[in-house]
Amino acid sequence: MFIGGAWTGAADGRTRDIHNPSTNERIATAADGSARDAEKAIAFARSAFDSGPWPRMRAQERAAFLLKIADLIDTHAAELATTETRNNGKPLREARYDVADAANCFRYYAGLASKPLGQTFEVPDPAMQTMVVREPIGVCGQIIPWNYPLLMAAWKLAPGLAAGNCCILKPAEATPLTAVRLFELIAEAGLPAGAAQLLLGPGPEAGHALAASPLVDKIAFTGGTVTGRAIIAAATGNLKKITLELGGKSPCIVFADADQDIALEFAMFAAFAGQGEVCSAGSRLLVEKKIASRFLPRLAEATAKIAVGDGLDELTEMGPLITPQHMERVLGYIAAGKAEGAELLCGGHRLTEGALARGNFVAPTIFASTRPEMRIIREEIFGPVLSVQLFEDEADAIRIANDTPYGLAGGVFTGDGAKGLRVLRALRAGITWLNSYHPTFNEAPWGGYKQSGWGRELGTWGLDEYLETKQININLAPAKPGWFRSAGQPAASDS
């Protein structure tokens, strides 16, 4: 862990083995912190914010540090990508995109840090000058998931630091390695002690301590909805600010007038990129009935040919699931789909051929003939499982798409641009695409409706989440207000 500007183990000496999900071999041993370690990090961050240099620096100075971090990420990009793949399992080509995006995130917020953040007003009283300034919130706990370890660290740290906060990052227990390497680069960049700290440990201990502490002013969390609710409950003690980016059960809608070849590959990309371990995955495929008999067999045939393997193999198109426990959870959903009567079009089993037997590999799976009440339709699986739903027309597609407690993302494929825009406008989701799926940009807000979370990350919205708003009123012509008669007597002379 990196606490108070120094590297340290857990207070009680506890450690955790870190594994490669492609082989389940141990690749590292990490400190495994507890509430005691969280309290130590919080104390350092509190002191650094209340009396340290970081919040008091000029925005241009903070920006220079962020730019240096971005440059260091670029310098070590190949190493970071390989480490990400070994720890998370995702194909190396995906990890390379993540590393580049992480560097660009730091650059984006470095550029945004010094841009106008305040306002002045002409108010009815000519003697008053009123202005609004934006100030850092304070100590920010940032809890990130295991599916995008480096990128989620950048999404949290870059805006938090740009705004002048002191941040405590807690990565997922299974995937701390690129976060550790990132903090080595942050230390090399020379950030003041306490401005950014790395806390390792399990969520119920270290994460809960961050959420519950009265010394922490904000929690930013990306992960599951159940954990999000627990964070809300823990954070009520001091009513701290909360940003939550939670789960999804997002629709990918294919109309009959869409380019079928384009829609087919995007349907696969939406569902199986990142092994389906993506909060915005298009895990529900809505297909217009009139093309289902032609579209679905082609989709199943192409999906069955996805190259599944070790992420370090350049030919791999889909890697393993993160842990054996999560693999069993996903296989449990596949069993539930079969038991509830869904039609299995492809996949539906663990892959154990040859070297795959050592890892957490599940064949990309597609279910058809589903019903709305099925678990594979209602619940977030977070794995390579795609559930098909058929629709009659535009209104039916919208109804089915919105029939979910989540509202994170959605994609529409059609040759009719006006129809596509109508459907996108009707979707109750925060991130949408027309004739595309998954591309995201640091410049645009990320977040969802309904039970997919609170607030937004990225873009100017992401910076806003790390700033307080203060009104300042200046009396340009000081005079007594004349409100109280008893205060109307002149002051006695000192002479």
Side-chain angles (χ1 to χ4, degrees):
M1 294 181 282
F2 190 69
I3 296 178
W7 293 98
T8 180
D12 60 5
R14 191 171 63 181
T15 61
R16 178 186 297 269
D17 287 342
I18 307 302
H19 298 89
N20 180 343
S22 288
T23 62
N24 281 312
E25 66 177 332
R26 182 176 63 84
I27 56 174
T29 301
D32 196 32
S34 65
R36 289 174 59 193
D37 300 288
E39 289 162 4
K40 180 181 176 183
I42 292 166
F44 272 112
R46 187 77 264 166
S47 177
F49 184 79
D50 292 341
S51 58
W54 186 254
R56 292 155 188 83
M57 281 185 184
R58 303 295 295 172
Q60 293 84 352
E61 294 178 88
R62 292 198 299 269
F65 279 109
L66 298 188
L67 289 172
K68 189 169 184 180
I69 293 169
D71 290 343
L72 288 167
I73 291 173
D74 282 342
T75 298
H76 299 277
E79 172 203 347
L80 285 165
T82 299
T83 302
E84 189 87 326
T85 292
R86 292 182 69 223
N87 195 179
N88 167 272
K90 66 177 59 185
L92 195 55
R93 63 181 184 178
E94 291 186 26
R96 291 179 182 130
Y97 279 113
D98 291 353
V99 173
D101 208 15
N104 289 336
C105 188
F106 277 100
R107 286 198 181 91
Y108 174 77
Y109 282 105
L112 203 58
S114 60
K115 300 304 181 285
L117 290 173
Q119 299 179 19
T120 60
F121 303 98
E122 291 284 344
V123 295
D125 186 345
M128 297 297 292
Q129 173 64 65
T130 298
M131 65 182 70
V132 169
V133 297
R134 308 299 304 280
E135 298 178 340
I137 289 176
V139 175
C140 298
Q142 301 171 317
I143 304 172
I144 62 173
W146 43 258
N147 57 341
Y148 289 90
L150 180 65
L151 188 55
M152 292 295 101
W155 281 23
K156 298 288 191 291
L157 287 168
L161 293 172
N165 297 284
C166 291
C167 300
I168 304 169
L169 181 80
K170 195 204 85 65
E173 301 94 297
T175 53
L177 298 189
T178 46
V180 171
R181 188 69 182 103
L182 174 63
F183 270 80
E184 290 177 347
L185 302 181
I186 288 172
E188 185 177 340
L191 265 69
Q197 301 184 91
L198 177 66
L199 172 68
L200 305 181
E205 297 179 46
H208 176 81
L210 285 179
S213 173
L215 300 179
V216 174
D217 303 296
K218 174 183 171 65
I219 287 287
F221 170 75
T222 298
T225 302
V226 172
T227 304
R229 291 193 185 99
I231 286 172
I232 293 170
T236 57
N238 67 331
L239 296 178
K240 56 174 59 68
K241 309 288 185 181
I242 303 175
T243 305
L244 301 173
E245 201 270 275
L246 305 177
K249 195 69 177 177
S250 301
C252 181
I253 306 169
V254 179
F255 284 94
D257 60 3
D259 183 308
Q260 302 298 297
D261 293 333
I262 292 174
L264 186 144
E265 186 168 359
F266 267 113
M268 296 169 62
F269 187 56
F272 304 120
Q275 300 79 249
E277 297 171 325
V278 182
C279 56
S280 58
S283 55
R284 289 188 297 141
L285 178 63
L286 279 58
V287 179
E288 192 165 358
K289 283 184 178 179
K290 67 179 68 174
I291 62 166
S293 62
R294 301 188 305 275
F295 187 81
L296 294 180
R298 288 186 60 211
L299 177 66
E301 182 182 5
T303 297
K305 296 177 181 177
I306 290 175
V308 181
D310 190 319
L312 292 175
D313 185 336
E314 293 285 359
L315 297 179
T316 291
E317 297 173 328
M318 194 184 93
L321 301 187
I322 188 66
T323 62
Q325 295 78 16
H326 185 61
M327 177 183 66
E328 291 302 325
R329 178 180 180 274
V330 172
L331 290 171
Y333 272 107
I334 292 172
K338 295 175 182 177
E340 291 180 338
E343 178 189 1
L344 183 65
L345 298 186
C346 66
H349 58 276
R350 181 182 178 185
L351 296 173
T352 57
E353 298 85 0
L356 298 182
R358 298 186 298 159
N360 313 318
F361 296 95
V362 173
T365 298
I366 302 176
F367 280 109
S369 302
T370 61
R371 299 187 307 276
E373 69 275 12
M374 287 180 171
R375 291 181 64 199
I376 58 172
I377 293 294
R378 304 303 302 175
E379 300 177 22
E380 184 178 39
I381 299 173
F382 222 64
V385 180
L386 177 62
S387 300
V388 177
Q389 297 175 278
L390 304 184
F391 65 88
E392 296 282 357
D393 54 22
E394 182 179 329
D396 196 33
I398 293 168
R399 179 189 61 78
I400 295 171
N402 286 333
D403 183 21
T404 172
Y406 298 105
L408 186 54
V412 176
F413 291 84
T414 175
D416 183 341
K419 178 169 67 178
L421 183 56
R422 286 196 305 270
V423 176
L424 291 182
R425 291 290 299 269
L427 289 183
R428 299 291 296 163
I431 308 144
T432 61
W433 297 272
L434 178 59
N435 294 325
S436 184
Y437 207 100
H438 274 322
T440 61
F441 305 95
N442 292 310
E443 296 81 1
W446 181 273
Y449 291 19
K450 299 189 278 188
Q451 293 186 34
S452 286
W454 290 354
R456 293 294 183 269
E457 294 190 301
L458 299 181
T460 56
W461 297 264
L463 186 63
D464 285 343
E465 298 283 357
Y466 285 95
L467 291 166
E468 287 280 20
T469 301
K470 177 181 286 184
Q471 178 187 157
I472 298 175
N473 297 286
I474 303 168
N475 192 342
L476 302 177
K480 294 187 295 182
W483 194 261
F484 298 103
R485 290 188 297 275
S486 61
Q489 301 299 318
S493 173
D494 290 335
S495 59

